């Protein structure tokens, strides 16, 4: 169905080349492009050969315009025998009206050495105060025989790391092996309750990503409180007051109050938004609601901005009941969104709708949706029904198919002449994707009297993209948008509206170093037969463009759109030359945007006296700033606009300034304007001053707490003796958060909900060592427990690789595994770091150490050592040279024939 999606979802890379036993990192970008909050659920489908190391949130909440990036870090198991493995993430809203599946393929490659090896020495960064910077140690190994330049980028979720020093330029000598220490500073203070995910990306001189690492940054304290919201949610409570000046010199006052809290296992959310347009004596209460959400159900009362095949805009009740493979959604909506409306027909337009969505278990990748709606229209006093069914199949990475069919009946509520109409709609979408070729075809057809969201539509969009090489892309696109709509003005009277456009184009995109060239010739046809004067125009155009960008935050882009526009409503008039020049420049904190149009481009440009001589010029310089330790941020500029179709010129300030007075009090000033035209029907500008105050969550319910105390169990009897010490400075992980035991060996985790928690602990002086304690605790309300820990010691070793004479590839230590046995049972398994070092954490006793080579075919045991770890932590030195050959040697005997 060709309609604007409320949420935009993209994947960082469609495919990744990864060696067996190596990790990979990708990311998903989600943008809320709607005007309302979006609550989304995420589910992943991962091949069994892939172990996901990062956490995908099950639910996220996005405010309008918000953008988040979810990192995906995984590991390819050594036992896979499949050359390509898929990772898919499905994103849907709670109504089921929005569904998007993004995926990428992990392709196994031979263990050739990459241009650069990048990894974090410690994947968990721990700080003990909320103000001190944190050092991130990175190991970089340049594996090529020539000098090269790179740039290091960084982002964090939630935002909190000062990213001013990034991207950081790096120059590396041939075969250089270095350790880089990066200082991570907080904007003001680190969040104690929420851990940060830090993503470091290494790019080469062409801007291509050559390495990525994902780390976790936590503040370790002995006492923490659970934040009852997901990583990206705007939890807690808040109030906003705003004053807006519109281009009509009209003032609007706004008050908005919102909140999110939990009651047991349910989450409560509400919002009230009031607007007052004083000059027109007009008031609005809209986008106001209260909702209760559990794991399986959601009930929402208030404003609605949903849609499936029919727009469900207004106010009313929505109920969603979901199961792992299917869900039901019910709506009862009044189509007037303003609760304060005094219109006599305000309550006569209503919609009752039900929708059923199901994942087809017997057809992997298949899903089915069915819906039925009954509606009444307030302005025309008509009523009717709309039903639709859709089927979607996304069984493989190469192919995706979507089919939809809809049917509607509409008639007058009363009278002899019911003016009954029967409408229909159909949709067919298909996409094909390979390594070099992508084809997408989308089509939607509906009759002029169809009551759905796309009435009287003929929508065809087909795009073919061929990547002939890493730097060359060819594409072709056809977009046909045409509407032939019959709209009723009363119960029986109607009029017809016909409008649309068609674009057919081909393009060539070529990269040369930091430059990117493109050429796009196209044909553009526009039609509007509904205006007071019917108009139609065709244009034959070409757009050459140039883009330059480098790692120093410098960017230059220019496109020149030139062609001949033919006014088909005046066939005797010759074609008119039309030119558009768009330029943007970015240099550090300064940016400049420029626009020039001479001659007509759109249909409305033909309405002037002499459209061929029309001229519009717009220039907007902007300055970005980040002051007071990121408390004062934003961009300010001035828009200049001169339009020959209007007298005079216009100057207007634009930009956005955000001042965070405190972590919970902020002020924002915004100015915006239409940069293309001063015509009254097209011009728009506004200034808005907004003051926001946030509050902590209210205690709607008394949540429990977890109190754990750790002691060193010297005699191994499991009981705390007076001579046994408490384990202070112990890093205790509770699910994704980290706490630090105090002098009495205790941690307290407050505000927890009932459930099962994974608890692990390691010594604070040995960050990154294997876990020395791990347990799952089920908490009903609160739990207090003493935990006995055996005395443990860190056992270290070093592997050195002796490659065979015929072997030209460098040794890859990640193909080896270290297995520790005790009483013939495996108790610990680890993989050496890229330099061959390894370590494990063991208590005193007798052990057997095995070194397994997974790179051989078949796999081979290359080292077996039995050793004893004494009560004082003494053990033999483990420093071995092992065979680094990656393929077996076949030995043949030769003899002469007699």
């Amino acid at each position: 169905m060709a309609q604007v999606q409320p949420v935009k979802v993209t994947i960082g890379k469609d495919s990744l080349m990864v060696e067996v036993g190596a990790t990979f990192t990708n990311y998903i970008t989600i943008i809320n492009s709607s005007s309302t909050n979006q609550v989304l659920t995420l589910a992943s489908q991962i091949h069994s050969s892939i172990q996901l190391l990062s956490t995908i949130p099950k639910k996220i909440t996005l405010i309008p315009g918000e953008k988040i990036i979810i990192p995906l870090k995984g590991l390819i198991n050594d036992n896979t025998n499949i050359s390509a493995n898929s990772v898919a993430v499905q994103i849907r809203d709670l109504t089921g009206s929005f569904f998007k599946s993004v995926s990428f393929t992990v392709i196994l490659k031979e263990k050739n050495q990459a241009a650069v090896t990048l990894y974090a020495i410690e994947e968990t960064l721990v700080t003990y105060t909320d103000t001190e910077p944190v050092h991130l140690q990175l190991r970089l190994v340049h594996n090529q025989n020539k000098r090269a330049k790179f740039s290091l980028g960084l982002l964090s979720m939630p935002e909190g790391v000062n990213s001013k020093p990034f991207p950081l330029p790096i120059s590396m000598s041939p075969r250089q092996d270095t350790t880089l220490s990066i200082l991570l500073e907080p904007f003001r203070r680190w969040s104690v309750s929420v851990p940060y995910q830090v993503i470091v990306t290494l790019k080469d001189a062409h801007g291509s990503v050559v390495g990525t690492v994902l780390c976790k940054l936590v503040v370790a304290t002995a006492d923490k409180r659970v934040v009852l919201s997901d990583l990206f949610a705007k939890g807690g409570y808040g109030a906003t007051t705003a004053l807006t000046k519109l281009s009509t010199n009209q003032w609007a006052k706004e008050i908005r109050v919102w909140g999110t809290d939990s009651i047991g296992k349910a989450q409560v959310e509400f919002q009230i938004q009031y607007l007052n347009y004083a000059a027109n004596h007009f008031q609005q209460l809209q986008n106001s609601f209260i909702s209760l959400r559990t794991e399986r159900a959601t009930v929402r009362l208030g404003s609605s901005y949903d849609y499936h095949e029919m727009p469900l805009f207004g106010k009313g009740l929505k109920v969603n009941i979901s199961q792992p493979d299917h869900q039901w959604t019910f709506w009862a909506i009044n189509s007037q969104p303003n609760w304060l409306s005094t219109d006599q027909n305000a309550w006569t337009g209503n919609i009752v709708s039900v929708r059923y969505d199901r994942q087809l278990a017997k057809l992997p990748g298949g899903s089915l949706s069915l819906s039925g709606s009954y509606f009444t229209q307030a302005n025309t006093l008509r009523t009717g029904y709309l039903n639709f069914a859709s089927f979607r199949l996304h069984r493989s990475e190469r192919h995706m198919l979507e089919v939809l069919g809809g049917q509607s009946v509409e008639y007058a509520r009363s009278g002899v002449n019911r003016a009954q109409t029967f409408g229909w709609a159909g949709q067919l979408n298909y996409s094909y994707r390979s390594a070099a070729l992508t084809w997408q075809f989308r089509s939607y057809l509906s009759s002029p009297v169809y009551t759905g969201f796309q009435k009287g539509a003929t929508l065809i969009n087909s795009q073919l993209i061929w990547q002939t090489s890493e730097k060359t892309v060819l594409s072709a696109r056809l977009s046909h948008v045409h509407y032939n709509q019959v709209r009723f003005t009363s119960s029986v009277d109607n009029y017809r509206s016909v409008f649309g456009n068609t674009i057919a184009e081909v393009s060539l995109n070529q990269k040369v170093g930091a430059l990117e060239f493109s050429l796009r010739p196209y044909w553009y046809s526009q039609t509007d037969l509904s205006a007071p004067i019917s108009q139609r125009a065709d244009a034959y155009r070409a757009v050459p463009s140039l883009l330059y960008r480098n790692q120093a935050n410098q960017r230059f882009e220019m496109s020149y759109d030139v062609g001949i526009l033919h006014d088909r409503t005046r066939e005797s008039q010759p074609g008119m030359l039309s030119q558009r020049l768009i330029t943007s420049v970015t240099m550090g904190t300064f940016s400049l945007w420029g626009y020039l149009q001479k001659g007509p481009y759109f249909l409305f440009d033909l309405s002037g006296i002499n459209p061929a001589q029309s001229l519009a010029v717009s220039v907007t310089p902007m300055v970005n700033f980040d002051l007071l330790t990121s408390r004062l941020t934003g961009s300010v500029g001035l828009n200049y606009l001169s339009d020959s179709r209007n007298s005079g010129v216009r100057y207007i300030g634009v930009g956005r300034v955000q001042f965070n007075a405190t972590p919970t009090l902020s002020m924002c000033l915004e100015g915006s304007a239409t940069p293309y035209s001063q015509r009254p029907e097209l011009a728009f500008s506004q200034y808005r001053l907004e003051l926001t105050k946030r509050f902590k969550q209210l205690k709607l319910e008394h949540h429990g707490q977890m109190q754990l105390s750790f002691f060193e169990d010297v005699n191994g009897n499991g009981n705390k003796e007076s001579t046994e010490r408490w384990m202070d400075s112990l890093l205790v992980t509770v699910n994704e958060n980290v706490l630090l035991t105090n002098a009495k060996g205790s941690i307290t985790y407050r505000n927890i909900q009932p459930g099962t928690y994974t608890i692990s602990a390691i010594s604070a002086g040995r960050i990154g060592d294997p876990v020395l304690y791990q347990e799952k605790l089920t908490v009903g309300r609160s739990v207090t427990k003493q935990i006995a820990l055996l005395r443990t010691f860190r056992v270290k070793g070093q592997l050195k690789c002796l490659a065979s004479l015929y072997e030209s590839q460098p040794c890859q230590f990640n193909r080896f595994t270290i297995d520790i046995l005790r009483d013939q049972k495996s108790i610990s398994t680890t993989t050496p770091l890229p330099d061959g070092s390894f370590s494990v954490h063991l208590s005193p006793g007798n052990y057997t150490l095995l070194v397994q080579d997974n790179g051989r075919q078949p796999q081979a045991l290359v080292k077996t050592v039995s050793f004893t770890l004494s009560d004082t932590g003494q053990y033999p030195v483990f420093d071995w040279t092992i065979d680094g050959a990656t393929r077996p040697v076949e030995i043949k005997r030769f003899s002469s024939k007699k």
Side-chain angles (χ1 to χ4, degrees):
M1 182 169 52
Q3 60 188 25
V4 178
Q5 294 292 336
V7 179
K8 182 180 179 182
V9 183
T10 57
I11 193 76
K13 291 186 178 181
D14 296 331
S15 61
L16 300 171
M17 297 287 291
V18 182
E19 296 177 356
V20 175
T23 59
F24 63 85
T25 303
N26 207 347
Y27 58 89
I28 298 174
T29 303
I30 306 178
I31 304 174
N32 180 8
S33 55
S34 70
S35 59
T36 61
N37 288 359
Q38 295 287 337
V39 181
L40 306 175
T41 61
L42 293 84
S44 60
Q45 295 180 347
I46 304 172
H47 193 273
S48 59
S49 64
I50 296 176
Q51 177 186 354
L52 200 62
L53 302 179
S54 60
T55 302
I56 299 177
K58 294 182 179 180
K59 289 184 181 180
I60 59 176
T61 303
L62 300 175
I63 64 175
E66 185 176 7
K67 170 183 174 182
I68 66 169
I69 300 177
I70 300 176
L72 302 173
K73 182 174 182 179
L75 172 71
I76 297 292
N77 294 331
D78 291 334
N79 58 359
T80 181
N81 56 4
I82 302 176
S83 59
N85 310 272
S86 64
V87 176
V89 179
Q90 297 177 347
I91 301 101
R92 65 172 72 238
D93 63 9
L94 298 181
T95 68
S97 59
F98 172 79
F99 175 82
K100 178 73 173 181
S101 178
V102 292
S103 58
F104 63 96
T105 303
V106 181
I107 304 173
L108 303 186
K109 66 177 181 179
E110 296 295 330
K111 294 191 175 182
N112 296 325
Q113 198 169 31
V116 179
T117 302
L118 170 69
Y119 66 93
I121 297 177
E122 306 292 351
E123 293 196 352
T124 300
L125 310 176
V126 180
T127 180
Y128 304 101
T129 66
D130 59 358
T131 57
E132 290 297 322
V134 179
H135 288 271
L136 170 60
Q137 302 288 334
L138 297 175
R139 178 80 176 272
L140 290 90
V141 181
H142 187 208
N143 300 315
Q144 294 182 336
N145 293 320
K146 58 181 180 180
R147 178 178 291 274
K149 293 183 178 181
F150 303 92
S151 66
L152 206 64
L154 181 140
L155 60 88
S156 69
M157 292 163 298
E159 294 182 355
V161 179
N162 184 10
S163 58
K164 254 187 178 180
F166 301 92
L168 185 68
I170 299 173
S171 179
M172 300 193 71
S173 304
R175 298 290 176 180
Q176 182 180 356
D177 185 339
T178 185
T179 299
L180 181 65
S181 180
I182 299 177
L183 190 65
L184 305 182
E185 297 180 302
F187 281 132
R188 296 188 66 190
R189 295 178 180 273
W190 299 118
S191 170
V192 175
S193 300
V194 180
Y196 295 88
Q197 293 192 61
V198 180
I199 306 173
V200 180
T201 303
L202 185 69
K203 295 183 179 181
D204 61 15
H206 304 296
S208 300
V209 177
V210 294
T212 305
V213 295
L214 174 65
C215 304
K216 184 169 67 174
L217 189 155
V218 292
V219 180
T221 61
D223 196 325
K224 284 192 178 184
R225 182 180 180 87
V226 175
V227 177
L228 296 176
S229 62
D230 58 72
L231 182 61
F232 307 105
K234 301 299 181 183
Y237 293 79
T240 294
T241 179
L243 184 65
T244 303
K245 181 182 182 296
L246 305 175
S247 53
T248 57
N249 289 324
Q250 184 180 15
W251 291 87
K253 303 174 184 177
E254 176 186 347
I255 297 176
R256 185 168 66 95
V257 180
W258 75 94
T260 301
D261 213 318
S262 59
I263 301 178
K265 294 184 178 180
Q267 187 175 47
V268 178
E269 182 180 3
F270 73 89
Q271 178 172 282
I272 300 174
Q273 184 175 14
Y274 169 78
L275 294 101
N276 187 340
Y277 297 88
N280 294 341
H281 304 286
F282 178 66
Q283 301 177 69
Q284 284 184 317
L285 181 63
Q286 60 183 21
N287 197 18
S288 303
F289 64 91
I290 183 170
S291 69
L292 180 69
R293 187 172 77 242
T294 66
E295 185 178 359
R296 297 296 186 192
T298 300
V299 178
R300 174 181 169 124
L301 179 64
S303 300
S304 172
Y305 296 93
D306 294 335
Y307 62 88
H308 39 76
E309 190 64 7
M310 168 171 278
L312 301 168
F313 301 155
K315 54 185 179 291
L317 176 68
K318 172 186 174 182
V319 179
N320 174 262
I321 302 172
S322 63
Q323 297 295 327
D325 62 344
H326 69 277
Q327 67 175 355
W328 287 92
T329 309
F330 304 89
W331 292 268
I333 304 295
N334 175 258
S335 56
Q336 171 55 259
N338 185 9
W339 293 78
L340 304 180
S341 175
T342 57
D343 186 353
Q344 61 179 354
N345 291 326
W347 294 93
T348 59
N350 300 291
I351 304 172
V352 178
S353 182
V354 58
R355 173 170 173 151
Y356 175 72
D357 299 273
R358 187 174 190 88
Q359 301 291 323
L360 303 179
K362 295 184 178 180
L363 184 61
S367 60
L368 179 68
S369 298
L370 303 171
S371 177
S373 302
Y374 169 77
F375 61 90
T376 61
Q377 297 176 345
N379 54 343
T380 62
L381 301 179
R382 292 175 64 81
T383 189
Y385 302 87
L386 185 145
N387 306 294
F388 81 88
S390 67
F391 169 76
R392 188 175 187 272
L393 180 62
H394 194 178
R395 195 164 186 174
S396 68
E397 296 301 319
R398 288 182 176 267
H399 305 277
M400 189 277 290
L401 175 68
E402 186 175 9
V403 181
L404 178 144
Q407 172 266 339
S408 68
V409 179
E410 184 181 332
Y411 50 87
R413 296 187 207 173
S414 60
V416 178
N417 181 11
R418 291 298 185 95
Q420 189 171 23
T421 62
F422 297 89
W424 57 266
Q427 171 185 290
L428 174 63
N429 295 341
Y430 174 76
S431 66
Y432 169 83
R433 177 177 296 175
S434 65
L437 190 68
T438 300
W439 178 48
Q440 293 182 338
F441 176 79
R442 295 180 173 272
S443 63
Y444 185 92
L445 302 175
S446 63
S447 64
V449 294
Y450 182 59
T451 318
F453 196 77
Q454 297 285 1
K455 175 192 287 284
T458 302
L459 310 175
I460 300 175
N461 189 294
S462 181
Q463 185 173 26
L464 180 67
I465 302 175
W466 179 29
Q467 185 163 356
T468 60
S469 67
E470 183 181 351
K471 298 182 178 182
T472 305
V473 177
L474 294 172
S475 65
R477 182 173 73 99
L478 172 64
S479 175
H480 177 69
V481 178
H482 185 267
Y483 291 94
N484 180 5
Q485 302 175 336
V486 173
R487 295 191 174 274
F488 281 83
T489 56
S490 68
S491 59
V492 295
D493 299 320
N494 62 73
Y495 71 96
R496 187 176 293 269
S497 176
V498 180
F499 58 95
N501 62 70
T502 303
I503 298 177
E505 66 177 41
V506 294
S507 66
L508 168 66
N509 187 285
Q510 179 68 47
K511 292 182 180 179
V512 181
L515 294 175
E516 185 174 328
F517 304 91
S518 67
L519 177 63
R520 182 172 66 95
Y522 68 100
W523 171 69
Y524 185 23
S525 177
Q526 305 171 74
T527 302
D528 188 353
L529 305 182
S530 307
I533 301 176
S534 297
Q535 291 181 300
R536 190 169 73 86
D538 297 334
Y540 301 90
R541 314 185 66 85
V543 186
S545 63
L546 171 67
L547 171 63
Y548 167 80
R549 54 189 167 192
N550 64 9
Q551 300 173 3
N553 198 20
Q554 296 178 353
R555 178 187 175 98
F556 172 79
E557 185 173 7
M558 182 176 66
S559 66
Y560 178 58
D561 188 334
V562 60
I564 303 296
L565 185 140
H566 298 272
D567 186 354
R568 298 307 185 190
T569 57
R570 302 180 180 90
E571 291 291 352
S572 59
Q573 183 174 344
M576 291 170 281
L577 180 65
S578 170
Q579 304 172 78
R580 300 177 82 199
L581 180 66
I582 301 177
T583 304
S584 66
V585 179
T586 301
M587 298 185 66
T589 60
F590 174 79
S591 65
L592 177 68
W593 180 87
Y595 169 85
L596 182 147
Q597 177 181 323
K598 182 173 177 54
Y601 184 83
F602 296 106
L603 274 180
F604 60 75
D605 294 330
L606 298 174
S607 59
I609 299 176
N610 190 359
Q613 299 302 316
S614 63
L615 177 67
V617 179
S618 180
V619 179
T620 307
M622 300 283 291
V623 175
N624 302 318
F625 58 88
D626 188 334
L627 306 172
L628 303 178
T629 321
S630 297
R631 293 174 59 191
L632 181 62
T633 60
S635 59
V636 294
L638 181 69
N639 174 248
Y640 162 84
L641 175 61
S642 172
D643 190 343
S644 63
R645 291 164 295 187
N646 298 271
S647 59
V649 298
R650 184 198 72 185
Y651 296 91
I652 187 169
V654 295
R656 184 178 190 273
V657 178
Q658 173 91 20
F659 175 63
N660 299 318
T662 69
T664 60
L665 180 64
S666 62
M667 182 176 63
C668 180
L669 176 63
E670 291 181 298
S672 60
T674 307
Y676 298 105
S677 176
Q678 298 183 66
R679 296 179 60 178
E681 66 271 27
L682 301 173
F684 169 82
S685 65
Q686 76 169 28
Y687 288 102
R688 175 183 173 87
L689 177 63
E690 180 181 275
L691 183 66
T692 300
K693 173 65 177 176
R694 296 183 181 273
F695 306 92
K696 294 182 178 180
Q697 291 175 313
L698 301 181
K699 296 181 180 179
L700 298 183
E701 180 190 40
H702 175 71
H703 299 288
Q705 72 176 25
M706 178 189 300
Q707 187 168 10
L708 306 178
S709 300
F710 298 82
F711 67 92
E712 187 179 39
D713 190 11
V714 177
N715 56 19
N717 65 357
N719 298 317
K720 173 73 170 65
E721 309 291 346
S722 59
T723 57
E724 295 174 336
R725 69 180 185 90
W726 294 108
M727 298 287 287
D728 63 322
S729 301
L730 199 67
L731 287 175
V732 181
T733 301
V734 182
N735 286 354
E736 290 297 316
N737 221 323
V738 176
L739 296 90
L740 182 72
T741 56
N742 56 22
K744 294 184 178 181
S746 298
I747 59 104
T748 303
Y749 203 29
R750 306 179 188 275
N751 201 38
I752 64 174
Q753 292 178 301
T756 300
Y757 294 82
T758 300
I759 316 297
S760 62
I762 60 175
S763 171
R766 295 182 284 267
I767 306 300
D769 284 347
V771 174
L772 58 88
Y773 162 79
Q774 184 164 332
E775 182 183 2
K776 287 192 175 182
L777 291 180
T778 299
V779 180
R781 187 165 189 121
S782 296
V783 61
T784 301
K785 185 177 181 179
Q786 288 188 353
I787 299 174
L789 297 180
L790 295 175
R791 178 175 295 180
T792 58
F793 299 94
R794 186 183 186 187
V795 177
K796 300 185 296 182
Q798 177 73 47
L799 299 184
K800 297 178 181 177
C801 197
L802 177 63
S804 301
L805 294 177
Y806 62 82
E807 184 65 52
S808 60
Q809 296 182 0
C811 185
Q812 299 292 312
F813 288 104
N814 58 9
R815 76 188 221 206
F816 297 97
T817 56
I818 312 297
D819 199 13
I820 306 295
L821 305 183
R822 187 171 190 176
D823 298 330
Q824 304 302 316
K825 294 182 180 179
S826 177
I827 62 169
S828 178
T829 301
T830 187
T831 301
L833 293 175
D835 61 0
S837 62
F838 65 90
S839 64
V840 292
H841 222 85
L842 304 173
S843 58
N846 298 317
Y847 300 92
T848 301
L849 186 151
L850 308 178
V851 180
Q852 186 88 12
D853 187 353
N854 302 304
R856 292 175 176 267
Q857 297 297 329
Q859 296 179 358
L861 183 64
V862 297
K863 197 74 176 179
T864 302
V865 176
S866 297
F867 69 97
T868 298
L869 178 62
S870 69
D871 291 337
T872 58
Q874 303 299 314
Y875 60 92
V877 175
F878 301 140
D879 190 353
W880 304 311
T881 300
I882 56 177
D883 185 5
T886 58
R887 58 181 182 269
V889 179
E890 183 179 0
I891 302 176
K892 294 183 178 180
R893 293 184 179 274
F894 297 90
S895 60
S896 60
K897 265 190 174 184
K898 292 186 179 179

